[in-house]
């Protein structure tokens, strides 16, 4: 029998990274402050998880200025989207295959 957790992606094990990816999958682009408010996180906590997703190249970063204020926005990359969809599929498969009485 195939290991039911082998297709889960370690990058999405943390609830903050899972939340960041979920938010970015349904929004084309979100700012740092929008993510921070949506997920109710501190600057430092969000920044460390953003860095981890950026290192995996699952999200892209765009830094601009709005007037004189810096504005950093994030979006899911194509590889990030694919990896997240595979992770969600693995979770669905794991849930579906946990009923041992139907086997």
């Amino acid at each position: 029998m195939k290991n039911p957790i082998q297709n889960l992606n370690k990058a999405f094990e943390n609830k903050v990274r899972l939340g960041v990816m979920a938010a970015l999958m349904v929004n084309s682009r979100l700012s740092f402050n929008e993510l921070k408010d949506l997920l109710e996180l501190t600057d430092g906590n969000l920044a460390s998880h953003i860095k981890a997703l950026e290192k995996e190249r699952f999200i892209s970063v765009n830094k601009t200025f709005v007037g004189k204020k810096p504005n950093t926005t994030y979006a899911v990359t194509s590889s990030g989207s694919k990896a997240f969809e595979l992770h969600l599929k693995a979770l669905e498969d794991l849930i579906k295959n946990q009923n041992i009485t139907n086997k």
Side-chain angles (χ1 to χ4, degrees):
M1 181 165 91
K2 184 174 144 183
N3 181 343
I5 62 171
Q6 75 181 17
N7 291 326
L8 294 175
N9 192 316
K10 192 160 180 65
F12 307 129
E13 283 180 0
N14 182 280
K15 67 182 179 180
V16 173
R17 290 192 289 271
L18 187 68
V20 168
M21 288 300 291
L24 291 174
M25 289 290 286
V26 297
N27 295 281
S28 61
R29 187 166 288 283
L30 289 172
S31 72
F32 184 88
N33 286 332
E34 288 170 328
L35 280 169
K36 184 177 79 165
D37 292 344
L38 180 67
L39 300 173
E40 298 180 356
L41 300 169
T42 64
D43 288 5
N45 195 359
L46 179 57
S48 66
H49 291 289
I50 289 280
K51 186 180 280 190
L53 291 169
E54 189 180 358
K55 182 179 177 184
E56 294 289 334
R57 298 184 182 202
F58 289 159
I59 62 171
S60 62
V61 181
N62 185 33
K63 296 184 179 196
T64 59
F65 282 88
V66 176
K68 293 186 177 189
K69 292 181 76 174
N71 184 44
T72 303
T73 57
Y74 303 92
V76 174
T77 63
S78 59
S79 62
S81 179
K82 182 176 180 179
F84 194 68
E85 287 173 4
L86 288 172
H87 182 76
L88 292 179
K89 170 92 171 70
L91 283 172
E92 289 173 0
D93 291 346
L94 179 64
I95 292 166
K96 287 178 187 174
N97 295 320
Q98 290 307 303
N99 186 350
I100 60 173
T101 59
N102 289 339
K103 293 185 178 186

